């Protein structure tokens, strides 16, 4: 793919716009745009750039001495082509140059890709070598993508060469050509060559290790009379003759890596399992060349008590056990530096051999692995977005960084997926080893400018490492004054990593170092990405849960009563609290009934989430519908039980075992203020509490019916008469039972709290909630407190109905007189008609005794009771019918009317508005 003329023209126009300070066209690649911004920050003038020359370049660089075969292969691949190949050190200084055509040297003379010239981005602007080092990733730069004018005629591809163990950049391989010949395939070639050089570096390291091992074996054969040394520590035994276990061997290898990294001769006592100890001895060893020096670690016999000897002595070991860590005793000054110079050494078991630098890398690798293991245990313990972000900071500070900031899109906090997270970001968590970093605190809304490193993470989904904040620009572009304070506070390097899960970028986490020794390196970047990756998945899980929790909670609150209905039977206070972990199916309701009565309901659906909330809504609606029929309390629960059984069968298709079981508990009570009579029944629900006016507290635990959903089992009722001012407390089990307290203990605690409750129902609610609920709720809580009232006898009028139609006129007169006492003369006509029609029907069709009752409540209630179980039906009479119009007239004149059944018959009632 060559650069065509149109691409070149658009690229040049974009470059000119950038240099003049105008917005750049989106056609410019993000990596190039970021490089241009770095160049402008450093004050590079595009038309005044010269390639610096360094005369003191180290031509004995280890990368140069090893990379020969890889360069030869690349030169063979590019033979006959108009290209130049260059190998550079980490300072972007050219170490060696290869050309495809010898004559090309003259045509590319202006490019100055020769040994000694330096191509740092900070000196010559955007270019393959310098940009690959700045970004620490392969770079392909062509034509006007170069920042400097002198380089616009060329195209180049470069890839960093990393140390296979530490991850540090050891050099750069670059291929350059005339711009018209530039092709992205060049990038593939330099990447392959970089990989080959890295393998050669690894082979060189392995050869060093083998050289050290051979030197050790030669020394052992000389000192042991030609005997072959044992190469494993697995046969080291204790004084009791027990072989070391696998975990003991791992402890020895870990201690050996620490000894090698220390780089000194020493003897340590290593604590093992079951109170045992083992001795490790580290000794210097020289390889094939004097410049190659390493250390060998041997395991001596494991004993319970070891003598304190010279560390260079074969029997040396420390006597003081160290159960928590390994601490080496250094060798004395006269100690010999070579294994070969030791005489009379006693044969030991080889545990490890290596160079101190490699040993330090091994120790750091183990420390990073341990950090990842700890982070896996600490991050994601809850399904809370903010807490998960805080756990990330706690896991990384101070083990990995001194300061960690987590910024998330605000939509993530509400459970939604971010559409453009760079626009609305908020700092969710900030972990710090000390105060005074001048970083923005948690809760701050962050606005990332296009040049900031965090914005680069969000737009490219790639991590950014900035090892030297002193010379960096992008991280300080948002607030230069604060950036200067941060520099003065000692922060010297940072890593910014996007929080990406399931293809969605949720935010960015930034790691800072100040007190840590040394800046972040490449292997630190890998660790930061691993930490961020694990945290991102946990944050996304929390986000999804938050969305479901918010939806379920909205549904739950929508299905629960928004306001309590107006009624005079009881004073009511209610309280609902969702679980902090998941919304459940708890509900309550207050339902006005005929005859100034009221129904009190509390229920609890098994399970949590949307399924439980939806089931709760269906059950609450069903209870209201059953209540409209004025069914007895036990029959209401029976019908509700049938409904739950049907819901359970509807979960899965026929013949498929249901994956979820619908179950619920319910308590249904009806209170009549005219008689102070209360009837209740419960289905697997906790017993309600009754507080009498004198402060006596009792739990109405009889009868206890089965939970809803078992089907076919009857429910029993409890009838009692309540003194006026009694408090009936209905609740769900989340109030009295949780993980750290059983229900029996909770009920006793509730009894103690209720003994001191003398206030209003609202006060009782607050006392119970404050005294019973834990700091973190694992279940929903529904609480309903009702204080009973009694209707004054002056608001109730009763008359017996004689078995004589002539008595109806007397009843009308009595009703009119009563309305006059209540100052309801405006209802006289309609009340006369209703009383006449209902009384006449009772005398004609029902069984004695019959009674007429007028009740003055929020409405005028007219009731006619009889001992018949037949139910009147409203019908439309035809023009030829002689009757059937009376009940129709009653229905038209009354606000409501209906029939309810009693143990001795039925009651036909009507309600008229007082307005």
């Amino acid at each position: 793919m060559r650069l065509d003329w149109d691409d070149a023209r658009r690229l040049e126009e974009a470059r000119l716009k950038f240099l003049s300070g105008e917005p750049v066209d989106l056609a410019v690649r993000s990596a190039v745009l970021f490089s241009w911004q770095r160049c402008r920050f450093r004050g590079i003038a595009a038309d005044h750039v010269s390639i610096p020359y360094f005369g003191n370049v180290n031509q004995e660089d280890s990368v140069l001495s090893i990379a020969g075969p890889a360069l030869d292969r690349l030169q063979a691949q590019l033979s006959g082509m108009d290209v130049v190949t260059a190998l550079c050190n980490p300072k972007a200084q050219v170490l060696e140059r290869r050309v495809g055509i010898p004559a090309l040297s003259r045509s590319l003379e202006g490019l100055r890709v020769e040994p000694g010239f330096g191509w740092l981005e900070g000196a010559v602007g955007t270019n393959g070598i310098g940009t690959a080092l700045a970004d620490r990733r392969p770079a392909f730069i062509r034509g006007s993508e170069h920042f400097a004018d002198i380089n616009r005629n060329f195209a180049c591809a470069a890839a960093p060469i990393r140390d296979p163990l530490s991850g540090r950049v050891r050099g750069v391989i670059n291929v350059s050509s005339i711009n018209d010949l530039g092709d992205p395939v060049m990038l593939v070639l330099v990447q392959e060559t970089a990989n080959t050089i890295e393998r050669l570096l690894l082979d060189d390291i392995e050869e060093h290790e083998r050289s050290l091992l051979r030197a050790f074996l030669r020394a052992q054969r000389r000192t042991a009379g030609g005997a072959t040394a044992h190469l494993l520590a697995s046969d080291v035994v204790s004084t009791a003759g027990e072989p070391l276990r696998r975990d003991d061997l791992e402890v020895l290898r870990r201690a050996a890596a620490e000894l090698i990294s220390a780089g000194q001769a020493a003897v340590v006592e290593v604590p093992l399992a079951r109170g045992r100890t083992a001795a490790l001895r580290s000794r210097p060893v020289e390889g094939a060349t004097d410049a190659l020096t390493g250390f060998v670690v041997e395991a001596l016999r494991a004993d319970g008590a070891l003598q304190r000897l010279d560390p260079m002595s074969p029997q040396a070991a420390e006597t003081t056990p160290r159960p928590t860590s390994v601490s080496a005793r250094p060798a004395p000054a006269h100690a010999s530096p070579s294994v070969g110079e030791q005489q009379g050494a006693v044969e030991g078991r080889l545990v490890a051999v290596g160079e101190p630098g490699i040993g330090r890398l091994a120790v750091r690798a183990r420390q990073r692995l341990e950090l990842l293991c700890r982070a896996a245990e600490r991050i994601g313990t809850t399904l809370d977005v903010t807490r998960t972000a805080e756990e990330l900071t706690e896991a990384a500070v101070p083990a990995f960084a001194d300061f960690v900031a987590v910024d998330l899109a605000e939509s993530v906090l509400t459970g939604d997926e971010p559409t453009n997270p760079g626009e609305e970001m908020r700092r969710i968590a900030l972990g710090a080893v000390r105060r005074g970093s001048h970083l923005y605190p948690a809760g701050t809304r962050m606005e990332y400018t296009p040049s900031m490193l965090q914005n680069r993470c969000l737009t490219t989904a790639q991590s950014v490492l900035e090892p030297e904040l002193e010379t960096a620009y992008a991280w300080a572009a948002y607030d230069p004054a604060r950036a200067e304070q941060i520099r003065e506070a000692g922060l010297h390097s940072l890593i910014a990593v996007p929080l990406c899960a399931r293809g969605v970028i949720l935010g960015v986490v930034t790691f800072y170092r100040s007190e840590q020794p040394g800046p972040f390196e490449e292997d630190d970047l890998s660790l930061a990405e691993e930490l961020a990756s694990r945290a991102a998945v946990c944050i996304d899980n929390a986000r999804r849960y938050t969305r479901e929790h918010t939806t379920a909670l909205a549904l739950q609150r929508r299905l629960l009563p928004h306001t309590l209905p107006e009624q005079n039977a009881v004073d009511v206070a209610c309280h609902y609290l969702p679980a902090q972990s998941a919304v459940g199916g708890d509900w309550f309701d207050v339902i006005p009934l005929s005859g100034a009565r009221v129904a009190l309901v509390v229920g609890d659906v098994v399970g949590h989430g949307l399924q439980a909330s939806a089931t709760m809504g269906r059950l609450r609606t069903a209870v209201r519908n059953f209540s409209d029929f004025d069914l007895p309390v036990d029959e209401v629960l029976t019908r509700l039980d049938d409904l739950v059984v049907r819901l359970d069968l509807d979960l899965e298709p026929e013949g498929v075992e249901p994956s979820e079981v619908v179950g619920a508990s319910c308590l249904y009570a009806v209170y009549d203020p005219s008689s102070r009579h209360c009837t209740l029944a419960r289905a697997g629900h906790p017993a309600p509490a009754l507080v009498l006016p004198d402060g006596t507290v009792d739990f109405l635990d009889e009868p206890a019916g089965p939970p809803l959903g078992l089907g076919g089992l009857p429910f029993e009722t409890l009838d009692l008469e309540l003194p006026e001012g009694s408090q009936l407390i209905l609740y769900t089990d989340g109030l009295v039972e949780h993980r750290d307290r059983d229900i029996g203990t909770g009920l006793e605690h509730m009894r103690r709290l209720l003994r001191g409750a003398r206030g209003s129902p609202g006060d009782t609610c607050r006392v119970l909630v404050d005294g019973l609920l834990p700091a973190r709720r694992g279940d929903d809580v529904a609480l309903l407190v009702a204080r009973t009232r009694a209707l004054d006898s002056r608001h109730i009028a009763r008359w017996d109905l004689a078995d004589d139609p002539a008595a109806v006129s007397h009843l009308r007169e009595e009703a009119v007189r009563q309305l006059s006492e209540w100052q309801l003369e405006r209802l006289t006509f309609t009340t006369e008609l209703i009383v006449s029609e209902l009384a006449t029907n009772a005398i004609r069709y029902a069984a004695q005794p019959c009674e007429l009752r007028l009740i003055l409540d929020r409405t005028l209630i007219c009731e006619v009771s009889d001992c018949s179980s037949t139910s009147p039906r409203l019908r439309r009479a035809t023009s030829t019918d002689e009757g059937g119009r009376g009940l129709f007239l009653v229905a038209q004149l009354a606000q409501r009317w209906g029939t309810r059944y009693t143990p001795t018959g039925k009651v036909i009632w009507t309600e008229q508005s007082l307005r």
Side-chain angles (χ1 to χ4, degrees):
M1 183 180 67
R2 301 291 175 86
L3 181 66
D4 59 33
W5 187 87
D6 290 335
D7 289 339
R9 179 178 54 80
R10 285 194 295 268
L11 187 57
E12 177 62 21
E13 291 175 355
R15 177 175 173 274
L16 294 176
K17 285 182 179 181
F18 178 84
L19 294 177
S20 62
E22 298 180 29
V24 178
D25 188 85
L26 296 179
V28 180
R29 292 182 292 138
S30 59
V32 174
L33 181 58
F34 288 133
S35 177
W36 287 358
Q37 291 169 346
R38 292 193 295 266
C39 295
R40 182 165 60 184
F41 172 77
R42 294 185 174 99
I44 300 175
D47 55 347
H48 291 83
V49 170
S50 60
I51 314 300
Y53 179 79
F54 302 88
N56 57 349
V57 175
N58 181 15
Q59 295 297 326
E60 297 180 358
D61 188 280
S62 59
V63 174
L64 179 60
S65 62
I66 292 173
L71 294 178
D72 294 340
R73 179 182 176 185
L74 179 61
Q75 185 176 16
Q77 290 177 314
L78 299 176
S79 178
M81 301 178 64
D82 294 335
V83 295
V84 172
T85 301
L87 177 67
C88 305
N89 62 17
K91 297 180 181 180
Q93 299 168 346
V94 179
L95 299 176
E96 182 173 343
R97 182 183 73 167
R98 303 285 184 95
V99 294
I101 300 176
L104 188 64
S105 300
R106 293 187 298 273
S107 61
L108 294 180
E109 185 175 351
L111 192 57
R112 297 192 179 277
V113 183
E114 302 174 28
F117 283 97
W119 287 84
L120 272 178
E121 186 184 75
V124 299
T126 305
N127 68 91
I129 298 172
T131 302
L133 281 174
D135 289 340
R136 293 170 180 79
R137 56 175 57 94
F140 177 65
I141 308 297
R142 59 186 180 183
S144 293
E145 289 181 335
H146 289 87
F147 189 80
D149 294 341
I150 62 174
N151 296 325
R152 285 189 299 147
N153 295 325
F154 305 102
C156 52
I161 302 169
R162 290 184 172 85
D163 188 292
L165 294 182
S166 67
R168 296 179 182 177
V169 175
R170 298 284 300 275
V172 180
I173 184 71
N174 175 78
V175 173
S176 302
S177 70
I178 302 298
N179 186 38
D180 294 340
L181 302 178
D183 195 303
V185 175
M186 296 161 54
L187 193 59
V188 177
L189 292 176
V190 295
Q191 286 180 299
E192 292 178 350
T193 304
N195 294 337
T196 301
I197 296 175
E198 289 172 0
R199 287 194 296 270
L200 294 174
L201 287 172
L202 183 60
D203 292 342
D204 184 63
I205 293 172
E206 293 176 350
E207 179 56 35
H208 287 185
E209 296 291 322
R210 286 191 291 268
S211 176
L212 292 175
L213 181 58
R214 287 193 295 267
F216 168 72
L217 294 179
R218 286 195 300 270
Q220 286 290 80
R221 283 194 292 270
R222 289 196 301 269
T223 58
T228 303
H230 292 280
L231 297 181
L232 297 175
S234 57
D235 57 347
V236 177
V237 296
S238 68
T239 52
E242 299 177 1
L244 295 183
R245 302 187 306 180
R246 184 185 299 272
D247 53 348
D248 290 332
L249 295 176
E250 182 60 32
V251 170
L252 292 179
R253 294 189 183 101
R254 184 176 302 179
E258 294 179 359
L259 285 172
I260 293 175
S261 66
Q264 61 180 358
V267 174
V268 297
E269 186 176 299
V270 182
L272 303 176
R274 293 177 291 181
R276 297 182 300 166
T277 58
L280 289 184
R281 176 180 59 196
S282 65
R283 297 186 288 175
V285 59
E286 292 183 356
T289 63
D290 294 339
L292 180 60
T293 302
F295 280 82
V296 61
V297 179
E298 300 167 282
L300 306 179
R301 186 177 182 85
D303 295 314
L306 300 172
Q307 297 179 351
R308 189 185 300 273
L309 300 174
D310 187 324
M312 293 307 296
S313 171
Q315 297 86 9
E318 294 190 23
T319 58
T320 304
R322 292 174 172 81
T324 58
S325 63
V326 175
S327 179
R329 174 179 294 275
H334 64 274
S336 173
S338 174
V339 172
E341 297 179 10
Q342 297 183 55
Q343 301 297 326
V346 176
E347 180 183 1
R349 271 64 175 179
L350 179 64
V351 178
V353 61
E355 296 178 89
I358 298 176
R360 283 189 286 272
L361 292 176
V363 172
R364 292 180 62 184
R366 175 171 52 80
Q367 292 172 345
R368 292 188 175 97
L369 182 60
E370 292 174 349
L371 174 60
L372 286 176
C373 292
R374 292 195 300 270
E377 296 175 355
R378 299 179 62 176
I379 300 175
T381 60
T382 67
L383 287 173
D384 181 82
V385 172
T386 301
R387 180 57 192 149
T388 303
E390 292 173 348
E391 290 171 343
L392 171 58
T393 65
E394 293 168 0
V397 175
F400 177 66
D402 296 315
F403 303 92
V404 177
V406 181
D407 304 334
L408 297 178
E410 291 194 356
S411 56
V412 173
L413 303 179
T414 59
D416 299 324
E417 287 189 359
T419 55
N420 191 358
E423 293 184 356
E424 297 182 358
M425 301 291 294
R426 188 169 296 277
R427 179 144 297 174
I428 304 303
L430 176 65
V433 293
R434 55 176 170 80
R435 297 175 61 89
S437 65
H438 301 287
L439 297 174
Y440 290 100
T444 305
R445 182 173 179 180
M446 307 299 296
E447 297 180 3
Y448 295 143
T449 60
S451 62
M452 293 183 67
L453 298 177
Q454 289 85 351
N455 185 70
R456 181 176 180 181
C457 288
L458 296 173
T459 55
T460 65
Q462 294 180 340
S463 305
V464 176
L465 167 62
E466 192 59 68
E468 297 181 8
L469 291 182
E470 188 66 29
T471 59
Y473 82 101
W475 73 283
Y478 176 57
D479 192 341
R482 183 178 291 267
E484 184 61 29
Q485 293 175 335
I486 291 174
R487 287 193 185 99
E488 293 176 355
L491 273 68
H492 54 66
S493 61
L494 70 79
I495 293 177
V497 184
L499 291 168
C500 185
R502 302 178 179 94
V504 177
I505 299 178
L506 308 174
V508 61
V509 54
T510 309
F511 303 89
Y512 298 87
R513 274 187 182 175
S514 61
E515 299 175 355
Q516 293 272 1
F520 285 116
E521 299 176 351
E522 291 294 331
D523 47 356
D524 294 318
L525 180 62
S526 301
L527 177 58
E529 290 174 339
E530 184 65 26
L531 287 173
S533 176
R534 297 189 181 200
V537 173
C538 295
I539 290 174
D540 191 55
N541 290 338
R543 177 192 67 81
R544 290 166 177 253
Y545 166 76
T546 299
R547 180 179 59 191
E548 180 178 345
H549 180 78
T550 302
T551 304
L553 184 58
L555 176 62
Q556 178 88 330
R557 294 194 181 280
R558 181 66 180 172
L559 295 176
L560 288 172
H562 289 202
T563 58
L564 296 177
E566 296 181 351
Q567 44 80 35
N568 292 334
V570 292
D571 294 325
V572 182
C574 57
H575 201 81
Y576 171 76
L577 285 173
Q580 290 176 302
S581 57
V583 175
D586 293 13
W587 93 92
F588 63 89
D589 212 344
V590 178
I591 307 172
L593 301 177
S594 63
R597 299 171 306 140
V598 66
L600 306 174
V601 192
V602 169
D604 185 1
V605 175
V606 174
H608 295 85
L610 289 174
Q611 178 70 29
S613 297
T615 303
M616 177 275 290
R618 299 178 71 174
L619 296 184
R620 178 172 175 258
T621 302
V623 170
R624 278 189 163 267
N625 292 335
F626 297 151
S627 299
D628 285 342
F629 291 104
D630 276 321
L631 298 175
V633 294
D634 56 336
E635 188 172 343
V636 170
L637 293 185
T638 298
R639 297 199 178 193
L640 204 61
D641 182 52
D642 293 339
L643 174 62
V644 173
V645 172
R646 291 197 299 272
L647 291 177
D648 201 6
L649 294 176
D650 291 343
L651 278 179
E652 300 288 347
E654 184 177 356
V656 178
E657 189 71 19
S659 57
E660 297 184 27
V661 176
V662 176
S665 65
C666 183
L667 191 153
Y668 187 80
V670 174
Y671 174 71
D672 186 349
S674 64
S675 62
R676 295 184 286 105
H677 184 264
C678 180
T679 304
L680 60 88
R682 58 192 180 104
H685 203 80
L690 175 63
V691 182
L692 297 178
D694 61 1
T696 304
V697 180
D698 192 17
F699 288 96
L700 308 178
D701 53 1
E702 294 292 342
L708 300 175
L710 296 183
L713 298 177
F715 297 95
E716 299 182 26
T717 61
L718 175 65
D719 297 315
L720 62 160
E721 186 175 317
L722 301 179
E724 185 178 6
S726 301
Q727 289 196 46
L728 192 64
I729 295 93
L730 285 65
Y731 55 91
T732 55
D733 57 0
L735 181 68
V736 294
E737 183 182 20
H738 56 82
R739 181 174 55 187
D740 300 324
R741 183 179 65 199
D742 59 44
I743 190 169
T745 304
L747 291 176
E748 285 304 315
H749 191 189
M750 182 178 182
R751 185 192 297 273
R752 291 192 296 270
L753 293 173
L754 289 175
R755 287 190 183 125
R758 293 290 189 271
S760 65
D763 295 334
T764 303
C765 268
R766 284 189 291 272
V767 168
L768 293 178
V769 169
D770 295 341
L772 291 174
L773 291 185
R776 182 167 184 82
R777 300 179 302 278
D779 197 4
D780 287 19
V781 174
L783 174 62
L784 186 65
V785 179
R787 185 170 61 187
T788 61
R789 292 178 176 179
L791 280 176
D792 193 294
S793 59
R794 293 173 299 178
H795 293 90
I796 303 175
R798 293 186 178 89
W799 298 275
D800 292 331
L801 274 69
D803 192 9
D804 182 2
V808 174
S809 61
H810 174 69
L811 289 175
R812 288 199 300 267
E813 294 174 358
E814 293 294 329
V816 170
R817 187 180 303 110
Q818 185 63 53
L819 292 179
S820 179
E821 291 182 10
W822 288 340
Q823 298 179 356
L824 295 176
E825 290 85 354
R826 63 185 178 278
L827 299 179
T828 299
F829 174 76
T830 55
T831 304
E832 278 189 293
L833 188 79
I834 291 172
V835 168
S836 177
E837 179 62 31
L838 296 183
T840 301
N841 286 342
I843 293 173
R844 284 183 178 179
Y845 306 114
Q848 291 291 333
C850 300
E851 182 186 71
L852 170 66
R853 189 169 69 157
L854 292 179
I855 302 175
L856 178 59
D857 192 53
R858 292 182 177 273
T859 60
L860 177 62
I861 302 170
C862 178
E863 295 182 345
V864 174
S865 60
D866 57 56
C867 294
S868 172
S869 60
T870 59
S871 176
R873 293 190 305 113
L874 180 65
R875 66 186 181 89
R876 182 179 295 277
T878 64
S879 58
T880 58
D881 290 339
E882 296 183 358
R885 296 177 176 84
L887 196 58
F888 176 77
L889 291 176
V890 170
Q892 297 301 311
L893 296 175
Q895 183 180 7
R896 296 174 60 213
W897 77 280
T899 304
R900 72 172 179 269
Y901 292 91
T902 65
T904 59
K906 68 176 182 296
V907 176
I908 300 178
W909 55 270
T910 65
E911 291 182 1
Q912 300 177 69
S913 175
L914 299 181
R915 298 177 181 177

